[in-house]
Amino acid sequence: MGLAGILLGLGLLIWLAFRGWSVLVLAPLAALIAALMAGEPLLAHWTQTFMVGAAGFLAQFFPLFLLGALFGKLMEDSGSVSAIAAFVTQKLGTRRAVLAVVLAGALVTYGGVSLFVAFFVLAPMAHELFRAAGIPRRLMPAAIVLGTSTFTMSALPGTPSIQNAIPMPFFGTTPFAAPGLGLLASLIMLGFGLWWLNREEAKARASGEGFGDGTPMPTERLTADEVLRERATTAREFDPAEIAHGAMTDIAPKVTRAALPLVVVIIVNLAMSLVIIPALDTHYLAETRFGETSLAAVGGVWAVISALACAIVTVLAASYRRLPALRATIDAGANASVLPAVSVASLVGFGAVVAAMPAFAVVRDAVLGVGGGPLVSLAVATNVLAALTGSASGGLTIALDALGATYMTRAAEIGLNPALLHRVAVIGSGTLDSLPHNGAVVTLLAVCGSTHRDSYRDIVVVGIIGALVALAAVIGLGSVAGSF
């Protein structure tokens, strides 16, 4: 009955979440169903298991949600994201339209701009560029996914994405974990994705297929769609309803001024991770008032927080005069972080209750018993949970909350570098999270004026198959050569 309760609770969560019900209600309900069918105390699991798990996630990662969303909104309203995207597309032109969209997305998301901000800025530019180049509209979503949601989210060393931050407290790693393998994975994802998109473009030209029909959903309608909002905020770290709030500048900044905050993110993140934080005297972290923690558990998150905070100061200093409604922009950015953070925390709370069920031992043993060693079983766990929850960050946190300590023990026994676990876990979480029910996928298709029927196959190839190929390469090479 215990295992049946877990499956029933999970099935109810997936089914109703896909239909736009709030995860804030569904997650505790699903957790209580699992506890009820296992004969476990309901109220104790709600207040002492579910809430403790959810609160722990917020305590660790809410600063990243807050600063990331605020930075993204400031970059949007100051015109910086648009200026960077326009510069790249102008330089590459219509002859390399696909590459232009991919690189523009990669630049802004690796620099810390929230995914949904990038979607709403890149889609109109891609629309005009693809129309002028005669490239089918159906390839727009896949080009944007390749640039924003693959290697810059999970593989490129130092990426400030929340997915890259989540393993750090579990494994004592930094955002630059396994940099050589991360670069290799990034090149595989980028190269494979560009090969596919260029192949599809060539086939379309040979068959005489043009840009095609279809109308993008207006921003006002998108941001007001409550069902879409519920699905989107579980998938990514920015509430799309806040896109319509604040006020965007009418005066575009120079590209150098626009790109400066992105450069600051990268430089500060690197310096804090490898030089400044390791040199700090942090013996006080062992005290009870600081949770009796260690620098290894918090150093990586501190580095990303510092990088985003410095970037926010930079964009304010560089573009203060281009923010016509500064308070409204800041309010919108801050508000955009809340629903995604609490939604993912609720999924983590559900995972904590499931992990506390006696029947979970069956699931744990099945996952750990997957052949190929800890890297393969870790990849399977993060893939499956990200697919089921429709959330890379939620699935990753649930997997590491339940099994992270076990993987660390196994890694120590066989001499496996935790940095390799970090990179495999992050790449694994960013593969099957792009299934059709994923809120980011649904939002992007609406923004681009496309449908699952027209565009989802290409999203699968560049966002799932390419990532799985890169994941297999990292596991294979890492198993032989270790982390580098």
Side-chain angles (χ1 to χ4, degrees), residues 137-472:
R137 171 201 295 276
R138 61 180 175 83
L139 296 180
M140 279 173 49
I144 295 175
V145 164
L146 179 59
T148 61
S149 309
T150 58
F151 61 97
T152 60
M153 183 184 83
S154 63
L156 205 57
T159 174
S161 71
I162 187 67
Q163 291 79 14
N164 195 43
I166 286 171
M168 296 189 294
F170 296 95
F171 299 142
T173 48
T174 74
F176 295 88
L181 291 170
L183 283 172
L184 174 65
S186 299
L187 290 173
I188 291 173
M189 292 183 201
L190 177 60
F192 184 86
L194 286 175
W195 166 77
W196 175 263
L197 291 173
N198 288 331
R199 172 181 178 273
E200 288 299 297
E201 178 187 348
K203 287 176 61 178
R205 291 189 186 281
S207 65
E209 180 183 358
F211 179 71
D213 299 323
T215 303
M217 188 182 294
T219 299
E220 295 78 10
R221 183 180 167 191
L222 269 171
T223 56
D225 189 326
E226 289 298 325
V227 173
L228 185 62
R229 181 191 186 194
E230 291 294 342
R231 295 166 70 176
T233 50
T234 304
R236 289 296 184 265
E237 299 74 46
F238 194 97
D239 185 348
E242 298 297 333
I243 291 286
H245 298 158
M248 185 177 291
T249 181
D250 295 325
I251 307 172
K254 293 182 178 179
V255 69
T256 51
R257 187 182 292 263
L260 182 59
L262 307 184
V263 176
V264 168
V265 169
I266 298 168
I267 292 175
V268 173
N269 194 7
L270 181 64
M272 293 295 290
S273 297
L274 305 183
V275 180
I276 298 174
I277 289 179
L280 295 176
D281 178 9
T282 55
H283 67 277
Y284 53 84
L285 290 174
E287 298 176 15
T288 303
R289 59 180 176 146
F290 293 115
E292 298 178 335
T293 188
S294 66
L295 184 61
V298 299
V301 174
W302 284 4
V304 181
I305 288 174
S306 301
L308 290 173
C310 290
I312 288 171
V313 172
T314 302
V315 71
L316 287 172
S319 300
Y320 175 79
R321 296 182 182 278
R322 292 182 177 84
L323 292 166
L326 179 59
R327 184 190 61 79
T329 293
I330 290 177
D331 286 351
N335 292 338
S337 69
V338 177
L339 185 56
V342 179
S343 296
V344 176
S346 296
L347 291 175
V348 173
F350 167 74
V353 173
V354 167
M357 297 296 102
F360 182 73
V362 177
V363 179
R364 183 190 62 237
D365 292 343
V367 171
L368 295 176
V370 172
L375 293 179
V376 175
S377 66
L378 177 59
V380 170
T382 54
N383 263 284
V384 170
L385 286 169
L388 291 175
T389 60
S391 167
S393 52
L396 179 58
T397 307
I398 292 172
L400 296 184
D401 269 340
L403 302 170
T406 303
Y407 283 116
M408 279 294 284
T409 301
R410 290 196 169 189
E413 291 172 352
I414 63 176
L416 191 66
N417 193 326
L420 184 53
L421 293 175
H422 174 128
R423 192 52 57 204
V424 167
V426 179
I427 296 175
S429 72
T431 51
L432 296 183
D433 74 317
S434 297
L435 293 180
H437 65 286
N438 178 270
V441 171
V442 175
T443 302
L444 178 59
L445 291 173
V447 171
C448 292
S450 191
T451 65
H452 281 82
R453 179 180 179 179
D454 292 334
S455 298
Y456 186 66
R457 182 189 69 144
D458 301 303
I459 292 176
V460 168
V461 174
V462 304
I464 296 179
I465 296 177
L468 288 173
V469 172
L471 178 60

